[in-house]
Amino acid sequence: MKILLLGSGGREHALAWSMRHSPRARRLYALPGSDAIATLAEPIGADPCDPAQVLEAAGHIHPDLVVIGPEAPLAAGVSDALRARGYAVFGPSQAAAQLESSKIFAKQFMQQHGIPTARAEACETLAAARRALGGYSFPLVIKADGLAAGKGVVVAADAAEAEAALAAMFGGKLGAAGQRVLVEECLAGEEVSLLALCDGERYELLPPAQDHKRVFAGDTGPNTGGMGAYSIDSLLSPELRQQIAERVVRPALAGMRAAGTPFQGVLYCGLMLTAAGPRVLEFNVRFGDPETQALLIRAEGDLVEALAAAAAGRLAPQALRFSRVAGACVVLASGGYPGSFEKGLPIHGLEQAARRAGVMIFHAGTALHQQQWVTNGGRVLGIAAAGNSLAQALERCYAAAEEVRFEGMHYRRDIGRGRLAAHQPAAS
Ligand code: AMP
Ligand code: GLY
């Protein structure tokens, strides 16, 4: 098969790496890819969010499968444009991608289909949002309706913070994404990401994963795209997993089908495990980043086969197997991230780090300048490792992370630690 992968981040590096292992992947192309992805796939310089450019590239390549990594091309209708020309695409239509591209759409859809989620009110104006605040106690959550690259959710501790968030959103800080908002009840509990491969009708749950969104240890500091993740089956009991399948994934797929917009691709359920049961915080319509790195490092089986089957509407059970007990990914970030940061700083120690057993280094924001890897983004590298226990996977990640150096580099040293502490006697 000839496969065209859209995207350029750490998630796409992991997807490319995993697809490269497939005997079915005869040629792999990445649009636009990155210097790191170019070691696995032939790069195509084009804009992945412009349907015309993607169609033109596809016209040259004739891919047997197009895999769309990020949400922006999905929201821009790139999958529809490709399908209209007869290409097999892994990734939902623009209409189905509204589950991520509009939080108001997603909330109304969940309410309509009885999918458990936080109570919320959709507000079209600043005045309406201010009025809605009265119906909730603090802390409460304010969410921009549209895509905001992780910056669209504010947990407001008091009225002043809520007012500031609303003023920023309706004042245009997030562009069109913030011109409508949700005012939402704040839920407490442990967060889990559960991803399902979907073919429009059937689904296959992947193992659960947990992301660490705050920039600093102990879940402090501002939100980021994700500072690390791990995956281990025991994050969810079999009963909870079953409950989420039946109360969330199944009705979501049935609802989308009934609306004439069947969901095909990854349905990413961001869940809060509350005392009253699991609640959906958000849907995403694509693989998570960095959850995917922590998941794929555990995976066995043929990712190309699984994605092609989903794209063709013939997903088979156990399309992917996860034989390793645990996977983890620790993100090494630029100094200043998630605020402003410098680019072009040389990265040292990559080769030594990569030689460690069970470790794979996924590049999120790097570039190759005259044979030297340099930083080129906020999240620079994801150090991923599999293990026979979560402790082993994490030890491998951190041992490899210590080999890597670049000016200003920082990372969280507590990825997965809460889970380790919950299952082991406290260390002295
Ligand atoms: P999102 O951008 O939708 O992924 O939300 C970002 C983060 O905000 C989530 O991962 C949660 O940590 C937090 N969050 C979103 N909704 C709620 C809620 N209703 N209650 C508490 N935290 C929330
Ligand atoms: N890791 C969170 C996300 O991919 O949205």
Short mmCIF file of all heavy atoms in Angstrom, two decimals, residues 138-142 154-158 161-163 165:
data_model
loop_
_atom_site.label_atom_id
_atom_site.label_comp_id
_atom_site.label_asym_id
_atom_site.label_seq_id
_atom_site.Cartn_x
_atom_site.Cartn_y
_atom_site.Cartn_z
N PHE A 138 -18.69 28.32 42.14
CA PHE A 138 -17.25 28.32 41.81
C PHE A 138 -16.54 27.19 42.53
O PHE A 138 -16.96 26.85 43.65
CB PHE A 138 -16.65 29.68 42.19
CG PHE A 138 -17.11 30.79 41.30
CD1 PHE A 138 -18.12 31.66 41.72
CD2 PHE A 138 -16.58 30.92 40.03
CE1 PHE A 138 -18.56 32.67 40.88
CE2 PHE A 138 -17.02 31.94 39.19
CZ PHE A 138 -18.02 32.81 39.62
N PRO A 139 -15.51 26.62 41.94
CA PRO A 139 -15.01 26.91 40.60
C PRO A 139 -15.99 26.43 39.52
O PRO A 139 -16.69 25.44 39.71
CB PRO A 139 -13.71 26.10 40.54
CG PRO A 139 -13.93 24.95 41.47
CD PRO A 139 -14.78 25.50 42.57
N LEU A 140 -15.98 27.13 38.39
CA LEU A 140 -16.74 26.69 37.22
C LEU A 140 -15.82 26.74 36.01
O LEU A 140 -14.69 27.23 36.11
CB LEU A 140 -18.00 27.54 37.04
CG LEU A 140 -17.85 29.06 37.02
CD1 LEU A 140 -17.30 29.55 35.70
CD2 LEU A 140 -19.21 29.71 37.28
N VAL A 141 -16.29 26.20 34.91
CA VAL A 141 -15.42 26.08 33.73
C VAL A 141 -16.01 26.89 32.59
O VAL A 141 -17.23 26.87 32.38
CB VAL A 141 -15.28 24.60 33.31
CG1 VAL A 141 -14.31 24.45 32.14
CG2 VAL A 141 -14.82 23.75 34.49
N ILE A 142 -15.14 27.64 31.90
CA ILE A 142 -15.57 28.40 30.72
C ILE A 142 -14.80 27.87 29.52
O ILE A 142 -13.58 27.74 29.57
CB ILE A 142 -15.32 29.91 30.93
CG1 ILE A 142 -16.20 30.39 32.10
CG2 ILE A 142 -15.64 30.68 29.65
CD1 ILE A 142 -15.93 31.80 32.51
N VAL A 154 -10.93 27.43 30.55
CA VAL A 154 -10.48 28.11 31.77
C VAL A 154 -11.29 27.58 32.94
O VAL A 154 -12.52 27.58 32.91
CB VAL A 154 -10.67 29.64 31.65
CG1 VAL A 154 -10.32 30.34 32.96
CG2 VAL A 154 -9.82 30.20 30.51
N VAL A 155 -10.59 27.11 33.97
CA VAL A 155 -11.27 26.77 35.22
C VAL A 155 -11.18 28.02 36.10
O VAL A 155 -10.09 28.42 36.50
CB VAL A 155 -10.60 25.56 35.91
CG1 VAL A 155 -11.30 25.23 37.22
CG2 VAL A 155 -10.62 24.34 34.98
N ALA A 156 -12.32 28.66 36.32
CA ALA A 156 -12.34 29.94 37.04
C ALA A 156 -12.67 29.69 38.51
O ALA A 156 -13.71 29.13 38.83
CB ALA A 156 -13.35 30.88 36.41
N ALA A 157 -11.77 30.15 39.39
CA ALA A 157 -11.94 29.92 40.83
C ALA A 157 -12.95 30.87 41.44
O ALA A 157 -13.59 30.55 42.44
CB ALA A 157 -10.60 30.06 41.54
N ASP A 158 -13.10 32.07 40.83
CA ASP A 158 -14.02 33.06 41.41
C ASP A 158 -14.55 33.96 40.30
O ASP A 158 -14.19 33.82 39.12
CB ASP A 158 -13.29 33.88 42.48
CG ASP A 158 -12.01 34.51 41.96
OD1 ASP A 158 -11.98 34.91 40.76
OD2 ASP A 158 -11.03 34.59 42.72
N GLU A 161 -12.00 35.82 38.02
CA GLU A 161 -11.36 34.98 36.99
C GLU A 161 -12.33 34.66 35.87
O GLU A 161 -11.96 34.61 34.69
CB GLU A 161 -10.84 33.68 37.62
CG GLU A 161 -9.55 33.89 38.42
CD GLU A 161 -8.97 32.58 38.96
OE1 GLU A 161 -9.24 31.50 38.38
OE2 GLU A 161 -8.25 32.65 39.96
N ALA A 162 -13.60 34.43 36.22
CA ALA A 162 -14.60 34.14 35.20
C ALA A 162 -14.79 35.34 34.29
O ALA A 162 -14.83 35.22 33.06
CB ALA A 162 -15.92 33.75 35.86
N GLU A 163 -14.88 36.51 34.89
CA GLU A 163 -15.07 37.75 34.13
C GLU A 163 -13.88 37.97 33.19
O GLU A 163 -14.05 38.32 32.01
CB GLU A 163 -15.25 38.93 35.09
CG GLU A 163 -15.39 40.29 34.43
CD GLU A 163 -16.56 40.37 33.44
OE1 GLU A 163 -17.59 39.70 33.66
OE2 GLU A 163 -16.43 41.10 32.43
N ALA A 165 -11.87 35.72 31.95
CA ALA A 165 -11.89 34.72 30.86
C ALA A 165 -12.93 35.11 29.81
O ALA A 165 -12.66 35.05 28.60
CB ALA A 165 -12.19 33.34 31.42
#
